[in-house]
């Protein structure tokens, strides 16, 4: 027989509907053997517990009763369950199917959605688990030098040792990643059914369970975000849609619409790097009769954001003022007020609108 961990993995795969056909027989053999009854009981208790819905918990006594009735029913034992060697394989397979159907009917009754496939993958890879049970952000360090700052209530699954060709982390909740650079070992963050792939950068991933959305925002470097798609016939990962993000950019993935919506972060910061640091000086944002085109170009260099104008006449305007201490959006407000214009965010760009100057 197989190990307990393997048996639990097969159950999880069955729950998600991603159990390959070739593994059905292995799962049914285990169920009908009677060896794993205790694990079946634990699985019922775990998967039918819902703290968000009052009265939706299945208590241990009830779980045991369900399992006892399923496994000890004389009719099922004599007709279906393969506890006797004379029973044909067809019947014990049917028996196992009946048992699993009853067990997981409770699961689907009390849960509005299935577990995400990444949870199963994390267990399959025998990963460690870290939970931030405090009320403050928790910073942990991976073996490769990557730092993960977990928000309260967040969970991270990670291996004791990363694979030679890639580094994988499974996240539930929100965390900020500072990934050590290694071009030969890309870093993958799995969150719900969204994959974030990087080589070395810093970014934030967070989940909004209320509206089934995942948000990824980039502080430094370059990040690829795409949808995870698995099939019963293959355990491989497929890229479905997705975007490439640069510093000060973010994307919100709508799980219901399966749509990626790119935008700018709420508070853009100066981009990292030697060239940017040379630009970030107090006098850079003190202007006197300076053409708007030059003002906007200085912002583009510092923040790494494209700023475009709706009307070329805007470039004819001049700006005088000190905007050294404000954030980017406040600076743009001051400038737009001075030239009687406005701005709006168009995906990952900023559009300046107005009649301009002659």
């Amino acid at each position: 027989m197989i190990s307990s961990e393997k048996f639990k993995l097969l159950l999880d795969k069955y729950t998600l509907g991603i159990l390959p056909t070739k593994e059905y027989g292995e799962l049914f053999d285990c169920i009908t053997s009677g060896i794993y009854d205790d694990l079946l009981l634990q699985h019922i208790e775990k998967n039918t517990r819902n703290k968000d819905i009052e009265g939706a918990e299945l208590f241990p006594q009830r779980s045991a009763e369900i399992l006892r009735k399923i496994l000890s029913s004389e009719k099922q034992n004599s007709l279906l369950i393969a506890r006797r060697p004379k029973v044909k394989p067809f019947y014990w397979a049917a028996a196992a199917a009946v048992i699993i159907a009853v067990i997981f009917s409770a699961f689907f009754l009390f849960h509005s959605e299935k577990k995400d496939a990444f949870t199963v993958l994390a267990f399959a890879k025998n990963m460690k688990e870290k939970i931030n049970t405090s009320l403050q952000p928790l910073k942990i360090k991976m073996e490769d030098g990557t730092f993960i700052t977990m928000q309260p209530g967040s969970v991270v699954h990670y291996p004791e040792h990363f694979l030679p060709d890639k580094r994988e982390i499974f996240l539930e909740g929100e965390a900020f990643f500072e990934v050590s650079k290694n071009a030969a070992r890309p870093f993958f963050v799995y969150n719900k059914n969204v994959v974030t792939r990087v080589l070395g950068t810093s970014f934030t991933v967070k989940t909004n369970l209320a509206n089934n959305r995942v948000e990824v925002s980039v502080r430094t470097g370059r990040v690829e975000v795409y949808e995870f798609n698995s099939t019963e016939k293959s355990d491989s990962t497929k890229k479905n849609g997705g975007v490439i993000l640069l510093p000060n950019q973010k994307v919100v993935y709508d799980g219901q619409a399966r749509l990626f919506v790119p935008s700018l972060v709420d508070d853009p910061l100066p981009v990292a790097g030697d060239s940017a640091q040379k630009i970030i000086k107090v006098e850079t944002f003190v202007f006197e009769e300076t053409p708007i085109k030059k003002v906007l170009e200085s912002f583009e260099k510092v923040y790494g954001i494209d700023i475009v104008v709706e009307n070329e006449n805007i470039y004819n305007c001049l700006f005088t003022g000190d905007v050294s201490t404000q954030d980017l959006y406040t600076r743009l407000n001051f400038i737009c007020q001075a030239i009687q214009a406005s701005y709006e965010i168009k995906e990952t760009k900023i559009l300046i609108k107005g009649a301009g100057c002659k």
Side-chain angles (χ1 to χ4, degrees), residues 193-245:
N193 58 328
V194 172
V195 184
T196 303
R197 179 183 183 275
V198 301
L199 297 178
T201 183
S202 58
F203 59 96
T204 299
V205 180
K206 62 181 178 180
T207 305
N208 188 330
L209 296 177
N211 53 23
N212 193 23
R213 293 187 176 186
V214 177
E215 179 180 307
V216 179
S217 57
V218 178
R219 177 68 187 89
T220 62
R222 179 187 177 98
V223 165
E224 180 182 12
V225 184
Y226 55 92
E227 185 182 50
F228 173 85
N229 183 25
S230 65
T231 65
E232 291 187 14
K233 297 182 180 179
S234 172
D235 292 329
S236 62
T237 302
K238 293 183 179 180
K239 295 180 182 179
N240 187 11
V243 296
I244 301 293
L245 298 178

Side-chain angles (χ1 to χ4, degrees), residues 94-115:
V98 171
I99 293 170
I100 296 178
V102 174
I103 291 172
F104 291 115
S105 64
F107 172 83
F108 290 115
L109 175 64
F110 294 127
H111 287 266
S112 59
E113 61 182 13
K114 300 177 181 178
K115 289 181 183 178

Side-chain angles (χ1 to χ4, degrees), residues 114-132:
K114 300 177 181 178
K115 289 181 183 178
D116 60 86
F118 295 145
T119 302
V120 174
L121 290 176
F123 284 119
K125 295 175 183 292
N126 295 319
M127 291 194 167
K128 294 183 176 181
E129 181 181 79
K130 185 68 176 179
I131 305 175
N132 183 3

Side-chain angles (χ1 to χ4, degrees), residues 257-324:
R258 297 183 65 183
L259 180 67
F260 289 92
V261 181
S263 183
L264 294 177
V265 298
D266 297 333
D267 184 18
L269 299 174
V271 295
D274 294 337
S275 60
Q277 296 301 324
K278 293 178 182 179
I279 297 170
I280 304 171
K281 298 179 181 179
V282 174
E283 59 265 30
T284 302
F285 300 120
V286 177
F287 304 99
E288 185 173 351
E289 294 295 304
T290 305
I292 287 297
K293 185 173 184 178
K294 186 175 181 180
V295 174
L296 298 180
E297 285 177 347
S298 68
F299 292 161
E300 286 182 316
K301 292 178 181 178
V302 171
Y303 292 97
I305 297 174
D306 289 335
I307 304 177
V308 298
V309 295
E310 183 182 59
N311 184 347
E312 289 290 328
N313 288 333
I314 292 175
Y315 287 144
N316 297 329
C317 299
L318 302 177
F319 176 72
T320 298
D322 182 354
V323 289
S324 302

Side-chain angles (χ1 to χ4, degrees), residues 127-128 140-148 156 158-169 178-182 185-187:
M127 291 194 167
K128 294 183 176 181
I140 60 176
K141 184 179 181 180
M142 300 289 100
E143 64 167 0
D144 67 329
T146 292
F147 287 95
I148 304 176
V156 170
Y158 61 96
E160 184 174 357
H161 301 291
F162 288 120
L163 296 174
D165 59 339
K166 61 182 176 180
R167 298 167 287 173
E168 295 180 304
I169 295 291
E178 299 170 90
V179 179
S180 63
K181 292 184 179 181
N182 189 334
R185 301 171 76 191
F187 195 96

